[in-house]
Amino acid sequence: MGYPGRAVRGWKGWTLLVWVAAVSFVFADGRRVRPARCPAGCTCTKDNALCENVGSVPHTFPSDVVSLSFVKSGFNEIVGGSFVHTPALQLLLFTANSLDLIDEDAFLGLPHLEYLFIENNKIASISPNAFRGLKTLIHLSLAYNNLETLPKDVFRGMDALTKVDLRGNNLICDCNLKWLVEWMHHTNATLDQIYCSGPPVQQGKKINDLLPHSFDCIIAEFASYQSLKFESISVGAFGFGEDQYVVFAQPFAGTCSFLEWDHVEMTFRTYDTIESTSTVVCKPTVIDNHLFVIVAQLFGGSHIYKRDTSANKFIKIQDIDILKIRKPNDIETFVIDGESFFVIADSSKAGSTTVYKWNGNGFYSHQSVHPWFRDTDVEYLEISNKPHLILSSSSQRPVVYQWNRNQKQFERRTDIPDMEDVFSVKHFRVKGELFICLTRFIGDSKVMRWDGAMFKEVQTFPSRGSMVFQPVSIGNWQYAILGSDYSLTQVYQWDAERGQFVMSQELNIQAPRAFSLVSIDDRVFLLASSFKGKTQIYEHLMIDLSN
């Protein structure tokens, strides 16, 4: 069967034919008219043209050509605007060519094109707007090429399509192709059965049977948002009234620096400061709608401040016993049975990690937990619904204390075996299971899981100058951030299938000491203290790989 004439819509199949053009002269009104020219390398009849072994797309064809074929041609790209000189085309065919690229607007100027066959070529790349303007196209074949993917929405605007053929390609069914699956479920066009060549989880599956939710395309990352021009050693976020605030301890400036969110400029700005000396921790806690800040100092004792809302400033209300707290290193606040406490880890040889309790007027010493062990960190957590403390020390393994509700005191329960030289312990939960991150300065930091009787190792992480291994949770995303004084900070993301953390990204923070999250205006920010450089703020962004 040969090609039909101008009425191409009823065309069902084809056989490559060679037409011989009759060379003649036509006389009209007594004048001699030169016939339309057929380009070199092509053969033409009245409405058909076949080009073989041509080096490029010719620009001169008889004006009434409506079907054009290219076979074994020497060009490897269909460039933009290649067919603006043949606007009457209704059928265009490329087969057995060396084509490997279809450029932007390759078929611009073809308002009547209904059939486009680009088959048995070497097409590996198609530009996103390659088919722009083909509003009348009803049949598109890209069969038997080298396509592994298609640009998103490459068929946009082709509403007349009734048939698309993608057989014989090596399509990778990853997030880049999710759009095609969505399109297949909404288009009126039919597609022959095609199969995934990858990734392994999809290999061999019929693309026609996939659903959009078969693709996991949402990833997240921490993107640099704001750099603060000061060093800091600790950071905390808290809510007071209807607003969110953050506070940084600046040891060299000797201040607690409070920041608030500027809803107009969309940045963090200075809110207030507390002047102190060699500040190491500024720990906020809200009790009965009153804001208190425990300020731990290396020299001159530690103090407690209260926010005077009428005067709009912080007022010192209490000193902390300097004989017990000589070299504070960490502070935790917590509530047990409705009563408010805080605990200070003391790292001096003569000091004592001490629990303080709120009595309605001030904080008083409630219990000396761990004297003379040079504690570097304290973590409050609940194990089996019972309050516990874990104390990290440079002189022994981490010690676990359990709250005795009758005595209203913490009692030593156990220690964590084979974990000497742990600088700090931080906890997190995944689907109700309790885990801890243990930081070592040199050696291996670890993640351990509570099995109901003891903590058991889950995963190790090489540590090179690490003083913080902080878990943070954002919605369904669980991270662990391992800081380093000697290399980049490593951000790990929890993989639920493996039950372990996997590497996610790296952050450039000089000597990080603490991390904290704050949520403002439906946005989440990661606050990163830096002991030797600029304090950094990152925003947690969700990225759809299918876009």
Side-chain angles (χ1 to χ4, degrees):
M1 180 184 297
Y3 284 115
R6 300 185 70 86
V8 182
R9 186 175 296 277
W11 182 86
K12 297 295 183 180
W14 72 89
T15 302
L16 295 179
L17 301 177
V18 176
W19 298 278
V20 178
V23 180
S24 62
F25 293 92
V26 178
F27 295 88
D29 297 331
R31 292 180 300 167
R32 189 170 65 179
V33 178
R34 187 183 299 274
R37 292 182 298 167
C38 189
C42 303
T43 54
C44 307
T45 64
K46 179 182 178 182
D47 50 12
N48 303 299
L50 169 68
C51 299
E52 186 174 3
N53 292 318
V54 295
S56 62
V57 176
H59 289 172
T60 56
F61 283 98
S63 60
D64 53 0
V65 166
V66 295
S67 65
L68 175 59
S69 303
F70 291 89
V71 181
K72 299 180 181 178
S73 298
F75 54 92
N76 59 11
E77 177 182 357
I78 306 175
V79 300
S82 291
F83 300 96
V84 294
H85 303 287
T86 53
L89 285 181
Q90 298 178 29
L91 183 148
L92 185 56
L93 180 146
F94 299 85
T95 187
N97 299 285
S98 299
L99 294 173
D100 56 25
L101 171 64
I102 304 176
D103 204 356
E104 297 277 302
D105 296 315
F107 307 102
L108 198 66
L110 296 177
H112 308 293
L113 193 69
E114 297 181 347
Y115 296 89
L116 177 58
F117 302 92
I118 309 174
E119 301 176 326
N120 292 291
N121 297 283
K122 300 177 182 179
I123 300 294
S125 178
I126 298 177
S127 298
N129 296 309
F131 303 122
R132 182 159 49 190
L134 297 182
K135 297 181 179 180
T136 60
L137 197 72
I138 61 176
H139 191 127
L140 172 64
S141 178
L142 298 168
Y144 302 100
N145 282 288
N146 295 332
L147 291 170
E148 293 186 353
T149 191
L150 291 168
K152 182 178 173 65
D153 297 330
V154 71
F155 304 140
R156 186 195 302 272
M158 302 169 70
D159 299 331
L161 275 177
T162 60
K163 176 74 172 181
V164 176
D165 191 351
L166 296 171
R167 292 173 299 166
N169 287 287
N170 300 312
L171 294 173
I172 304 299
C173 301
D174 58 11
C175 292
N176 293 321
L177 214 60
K178 179 184 177 182
W179 75 268
L180 179 63
V181 173
E182 295 172 335
W183 180 83
M184 290 168 63
H185 285 276
H186 294 94
T187 184
N188 293 322
T190 60
L191 287 88
D192 291 311
Q193 290 286 357
I194 47 179
Y195 297 85
C196 300
S197 295
V201 69
Q202 305 283 28
Q203 192 167 4
K205 293 182 180 179
K206 295 178 181 178
I207 297 181
N208 313 61
D209 294 340
L210 295 180
L211 298 172
H213 63 73
S214 305
F215 299 82
D216 183 13
C217 296
I218 304 298
I219 65 168
E221 72 173 16
F222 292 100
S224 180
Y225 188 80
Q226 186 177 351
S227 182
L228 305 175
K229 297 180 179 180
F230 56 77
E231 299 91 351
S232 58
I233 195 170
S234 73
V235 59
F238 63 97
F240 183 56
E242 297 181 355
D243 295 311
Q244 294 291 319
Y245 302 89
V246 298
V247 56
F248 294 92
Q250 299 185 49
F252 305 118
T255 62
C256 294
S257 296
F258 294 83
L259 306 182
E260 64 179 349
W261 178 250
D262 187 324
H263 294 272
V264 177
E265 297 295 331
M266 298 297 209
T267 58
F268 289 91
R269 65 186 180 190
T270 299
Y271 170 69
D272 205 346
T273 60
I274 295 176
E275 300 296 329
S276 56
T277 304
S278 60
T279 316
V280 291
V281 183
C282 304
K283 190 69 175 183
T285 183
V286 177
I287 303 173
D288 298 331
N289 297 319
H290 296 287
L291 173 61
F292 300 91
V293 181
I294 305 118
V295 181
Q297 302 181 159
L298 291 181
F299 306 104
S302 297
H303 313 283
I304 300 174
Y305 290 78
K306 181 181 178 181
R307 184 69 179 178
D308 186 330
T309 54
S310 60
N312 198 31
K313 64 180 182 179
F314 289 101
I315 299 174
K316 186 169 72 171
I317 62 168
Q318 186 178 341
D319 295 326
I320 296 176
D321 188 356
I322 195 171
L323 296 179
K324 291 184 178 180
I325 305 301
R326 295 173 179 268
K327 191 177 180 181
N329 216 68
D330 187 33
I331 302 176
E332 279 280 284
T333 61
F334 52 93
V335 176
I336 300 177
D337 298 331
E339 296 186 298
S340 298
F341 299 84
F342 72 83
V343 56
I344 301 183
D346 188 272
S347 59
S348 69
K349 294 181 180 180
S352 175
T353 292
T354 305
V355 177
Y356 293 83
K357 180 181 177 181
W358 172 253
N359 66 0
N361 296 309
F363 294 89
Y364 67 92
S365 176
H366 179 74
Q367 180 186 1
S368 292
V369 180
H370 201 217
W372 312 308
F373 279 107
R374 294 183 294 171
D375 296 325
T376 54
D377 178 82
V378 56
E379 178 77 349
Y380 174 82
L381 70 167
E382 290 194 358
I383 302 175
S384 302
N385 297 317
K386 296 178 181 178
H388 286 74
L389 295 177
I390 300 180
L391 299 182
S392 301
S393 171
S394 59
S395 60
Q396 64 178 21
R397 295 177 294 194
V399 181
V400 181
Y401 285 80
Q402 180 176 314
W403 180 257
N404 184 319
R405 278 196 159 88
N406 293 325
Q407 300 294 327
K408 292 191 175 182
Q409 297 254 322
F410 285 100
E411 297 177 345
R412 179 169 176 148
R413 176 177 180 180
T414 185
D415 61 16
I416 300 176
D418 304 321
M419 285 302 297
E420 288 76 13
D421 298 321
V422 170
F423 181 80
S424 68
V425 174
K426 305 298 177 186
H427 80 283
F428 66 97
R429 296 181 188 273
V430 174
K431 295 183 177 179
E433 287 195 293
L434 174 63
F435 297 82
I436 55 175
C437 292
L438 301 96
T439 313
R440 277 176 166 158
F441 187 73
I442 297 294
D444 287 336
S445 293
K446 294 189 178 184
V447 170
M448 305 183 84
R449 181 178 64 86
W450 178 255
D451 69 356
M454 61 185 300
F455 286 103
K456 290 189 176 180
E457 182 180 312
V458 172
Q459 194 173 0
T460 62
F461 303 81
S463 297
R464 301 297 178 262
S466 299
M467 297 188 72
V468 56
F469 190 17
Q470 179 70 54
V472 294
S473 179
I474 305 173
N476 294 324
W477 304 87
Q478 178 64 55
Y479 299 94
I481 307 174
L482 182 63
S484 173
D485 281 15
Y486 306 134
S487 63
L488 296 175
T489 290
Q490 310 290 315
V491 179
Y492 297 91
Q493 182 180 317
W494 183 259
D495 187 318
E497 292 185 1
R498 300 182 187 180
Q500 290 188 335
F501 284 104
V502 296
M503 184 63 187
S504 175
Q505 70 178 112
E506 295 180 324
L507 304 176
N508 188 4
I509 307 166
Q510 290 181 275
R513 291 295 181 266
F515 297 96
S516 185
L517 295 176
V518 62
S519 298
I520 300 175
D521 293 345
D522 297 322
R523 302 167 70 177
V524 179
F525 297 94
L526 175 69
L527 314 166
S529 69
S530 171
F531 187 60
K532 296 181 180 180
K534 294 180 179 180
T535 294
Q536 302 293 329
I537 299 177
Y538 298 85
E539 184 175 8
H540 186 254
L541 300 178
M542 311 296 290
I543 301 171
D544 187 348
L545 294 179
S546 64
N547 289 327

